Amino acid sequence: INLNTNNPHNYPAYQEYAGAWSMTATELRQFTDKVFSRPNIIAAYVLGTYDNIVSNWNVVAKRNPRGSNILSTDSAAYEAVRGALASVNPYTNPGSPSGDLGSWLAYGVGPVTMQAPAYVFPALAKDSTKEKTQDPLILGSRWLREYEPESVYKWTPIEHPFFHEPVEIGGINEWSLRNAPVDSINAATEKHYTLIREFCELMPRVEVTHSVQNLGAGMYRVRLTLHNNGTLPSHTTVGSRVKMHKSIVLTLGTDSGMEIVQGVKKTVDGQPITGGSSRDYEWIVKGGGELNVDIFSPSFGSAAVTISMSGGR
């Protein structure tokens, strides 16, 4: 079983290395158990066989009777990441094979998922073939034939007990195609380190501000603002729809004698706060003292704020 074709998203049933059904591989089931136990995963970086940075996935809900893209927030996040990483991305092999880990994470779990090949063989300086390609398997095959011929097995006739036609065995060692040569590991690691470092700089970052307005007669309008100073959203729409990403929850605590006249003590906000934007929450309270606001979001961040009514203007 190929672990990168055994995932549920667009599972390639009955194809080679796909397994009897999706998630038959024990390693994948253990991995998914770990992922499902962590609702704070907002982003993922996958070493796969293709690159979705140069040509992003179009994150669109296929079954939407109104015709609009209800996942537009997620699409904007992917486009923002692609733009930020484009200048440091050395790979140019777009696409999405069926049943791969990266697309399952993006569509089945919800984190903003970027994928890049573990290693891409360089094009030969003198290539006798006329066909130009960016396919990493073709590039790797050509490179191995030139520089590591021991990884290429000569096609040899064999006598097969079940076939009456001539049969040959040979080809290229698949593991040699998937892994970097020993003398190129450091260079490949440096490229991925640069991408991961830049990706981490794009994480959502929560900032909380607040203000108090004295309305007279012991009444106060309290406004609390959540700012997302990062690039990624507080959580993704896909993550919310598959019940992986939790809503932003604001819970109020009041001093004795205080009364919430307008608003509720517990606010559950399921809409993502996109990168670079903010969202206001308001309450009107009666009576002096302090208002405590607990903010909870596994993927965005949590905070506790104490707001004094004595500072109202």
Side-chain angles (χ1 to χ4, degrees):
I1 298 174
N2 184 339
L3 299 183
N4 212 35
T5 59
N6 191 229
N7 294 274
H9 184 73
N10 286 341
Y11 170 66
Y14 308 114
Q15 293 188 20
E16 189 177 19
Y17 303 126
W21 57 82
S22 67
M23 289 293 176
T24 52
T26 303
E27 300 92 330
L28 279 181
R29 293 199 299 275
Q30 293 174 341
F31 174 76
T32 55
D33 287 345
K34 179 68 70 174
V35 169
F36 286 139
S37 69
R38 296 178 178 269
N40 60 335
I41 300 176
I42 186 60
Y45 184 85
V46 178
L47 296 178
T49 56
Y50 68 93
D51 163 29
N52 76 318
I53 302 174
V54 64
S55 179
N56 245 317
W57 295 324
N58 185 22
V59 188
V60 177
K62 296 180 180 180
R63 296 180 180 179
N64 180 18
R66 298 182 180 179
S68 61
N69 180 11
I70 60 176
L71 304 182
S72 57
T73 299
D74 295 359
S75 294
Y78 275 95
E79 188 59 29
V81 174
R82 188 202 65 80
L85 299 184
S87 62
V88 294
N89 177 37
Y91 305 110
T92 57
N93 179 47
S96 177
S98 299
D100 68 295
L101 179 61
S103 58
W104 171 74
L105 283 170
Y107 290 100
V109 182
V112 176
T113 304
M114 308 311 293
Q115 179 159 280
Y119 180 74
V120 174
F121 287 88
L124 297 178
K126 296 181 179 180
D127 194 347
S128 60
T129 59
K130 297 181 179 180
E131 180 186 1
K132 301 298 180 181
T133 180
Q134 294 294 335
D135 188 311
L137 296 182
I138 297 178
L139 290 174
S141 299
R142 294 174 180 175
W143 193 93
L144 290 172
R145 291 178 187 278
E146 183 71 20
Y147 296 107
E148 290 189 10
E150 66 274 12
S151 298
V152 182
Y153 306 122
K154 182 180 179 181
W155 290 99
T156 304
I158 64 170
E159 293 185 6
H160 197 282
F162 303 116
F163 297 103
H164 301 290
E165 299 293 331
V167 175
E168 292 185 343
I169 187 170
I172 296 176
N173 186 325
E174 185 174 353
W175 298 114
S176 297
L177 282 173
R178 302 294 184 184
N179 298 304
V182 174
D183 60 358
S184 300
I185 291 178
N186 289 340
T189 302
E190 183 65 29
K191 292 177 181 179
H192 286 292
Y193 168 75
T194 301
L195 281 170
I196 293 172
R197 183 189 61 202
E198 294 296 324
F199 194 19
C200 290
E201 292 294 327
L202 306 177
M203 297 299 112
R205 297 191 299 275
V206 62
E207 179 187 0
V208 184
T209 60
H210 58 81
S211 62
V212 178
Q213 179 185 3
N214 192 336
L215 302 177
M219 308 280 283
Y220 302 88
R221 174 179 284 112
V222 179
R223 174 176 295 169
L224 183 142
T225 304
L226 294 182
H227 306 268
N228 184 353
N229 294 331
T231 300
L232 298 186
S234 58
H235 54 284
T236 65
T237 305
V238 170
S240 296
R241 290 173 67 86
V242 300
K243 310 301 182 184
M244 272 299 298
H245 285 169
K246 307 303 181 183
S247 300
I248 301 170
V249 179
L250 296 88
T251 306
L252 302 188
T254 59
D255 282 351
S256 61
M258 292 183 69
E259 178 186 356
I260 299 175
V261 178
Q262 181 176 302
V264 294
K265 279 196 170 183
K266 186 173 184 178
T267 301
V268 180
D269 187 356
Q271 293 299 316
I273 302 177
T274 57
S277 68
S278 59
R279 184 166 301 153
D280 293 330
Y281 305 88
E282 284 190 0
W283 303 268
I284 294 179
V285 299
K286 183 179 180 180
E290 293 182 339
L291 185 69
N292 299 309
V293 185
D294 288 326
I295 305 155
F296 174 76
S297 170
S299 58
F300 190 28
S302 301
V305 180
T306 299
I307 306 172
S308 175
M309 298 304 105
S310 61
R313 292 181 294 177

